[in-house]
Amino acid sequence: MQVWIVTGGIGCGKSTVVEVLARRLEAAGCRLFSADLAVHEELTKATTRERILKLVGLDVLSENGQIDRARLRAMALGENALRKQLEQILHPLVRQQFADLVTDSRRTLGAGGTLLAEIPLFHESDDLYPCDLSIMVAASGVTQIQRICASRAIAPAEAKAFIQAQLPISFKIERSNTVIWNDGSRAVLEDHTTLLAAMREAA
């Protein structure tokens, strides 16, 4: 089994790459991991919820008493110290979920199987997610802002703040095994991703 990690900047197309790869690699055995979904799951757990509420207060709660992820992101966006504290709570929990899935997948998937993990903050995590291949999905800053504004209905200034909260694209490109540049259409992105899947199928 191989572990492939898909990472990249916000608005670069990571989820599309994972979707195409999963479809192509399904026949040989493929399992998925999403760091974002892992965070969502952790935020529903009572112990994690209590730790976060002690840190940020009750204003982060939605009407149903659950942690509102959008509010939490907004609180942390311009507060580096708070963001670091939240990461110290959530990142170890997400890494443990990942490690557990890797262990289970090594038992259940054959040699030709692949665990695809979408981890936006892979490089920000000091490479604490062991993998066989790291795939960077990249795009220009202009394209990122356009996509973020369209998908989240926010102003360009706020979209730029999201981008600036992450490591520079150039830094991530240098530290990745392979790069898929996604400034074009979905069809072009799918073509590039299909070529990558073909390499795995031929291995």
Side-chain angles (χ1 to χ4, degrees):
M1 183 199 81
Q2 287 197 3
V3 177
W4 284 15
I5 287 180
V6 179
T7 190
I10 183 173
C12 285
K14 300 178 295 295
S15 297
T16 301
V17 168
V18 170
E19 175 190 332
V20 175
L21 285 174
R23 189 167 64 241
R24 284 296 304 265
L25 300 176
E26 181 179 9
C30 182
R31 296 184 72 177
L32 302 178
F33 174 83
S34 166
D36 283 346
L37 290 179
V39 168
H40 179 75
E41 180 181 334
E42 291 297 337
L43 290 177
T44 65
K45 296 179 180 179
T47 53
T48 306
R49 180 177 177 274
E50 289 175 8
R51 293 176 67 187
I52 298 242
L53 291 181
K54 286 181 181 178
L55 184 62
V56 302
L58 298 178
D59 288 343
V60 76
L61 294 178
S62 62
E63 292 181 358
N64 63 6
Q66 298 299 314
I67 291 176
D68 187 313
R69 291 186 63 188
R71 292 182 190 175
L72 189 61
R73 279 195 302 267
M75 287 180 178
L77 190 57
E79 298 289 341
N80 289 335
L82 175 59
R83 186 169 69 250
K84 291 294 184 184
Q85 289 175 300
L86 289 170
E87 289 173 354
Q88 288 171 2
I89 294 173
L90 293 170
H91 284 194
L93 300 173
V94 173
R95 286 197 296 269
Q96 187 59 56
Q97 283 199 35
F98 172 80
D100 291 343
L101 184 59
V102 170
T103 299
D104 186 65
S105 297
R106 292 199 188 282
R107 291 197 302 263
T108 58
L109 293 176
T114 307
L115 172 60
L116 285 176
E118 183 179 348
I119 304 177
L121 300 182
F122 171 63
H123 293 302
E124 285 88 343
S125 301
D126 296 323
D127 298 335
L128 291 175
Y129 294 88
C131 66
D132 299 286
L133 183 72
S134 59
I135 303 163
M136 172 67 185
V137 187
S140 68
V142 172
T143 298
Q144 283 182 276
I145 290 172
Q146 290 174 344
R147 290 174 179 160
I148 297 168
C149 290
S151 63
R152 303 193 180 207
I154 60 177
E158 188 175 354
K160 186 176 292 185
F162 277 112
I163 295 171
Q164 292 173 342
Q166 299 181 348
L167 289 173
I169 290 287
S170 57
F171 177 85
K172 294 183 178 185
I173 287 175
E174 291 177 0
R175 298 186 64 179
S176 298
N177 298 132
T178 190
V179 178
I180 297 177
W181 192 259
N182 182 29
D183 253 358
S185 66
R186 179 185 172 106
V188 172
L189 179 63
E190 291 202 18
D191 285 344
H192 290 317
T193 305
T194 297
L195 287 174
L196 189 59
M199 292 169 53
R200 176 66 177 129
E201 292 168 338

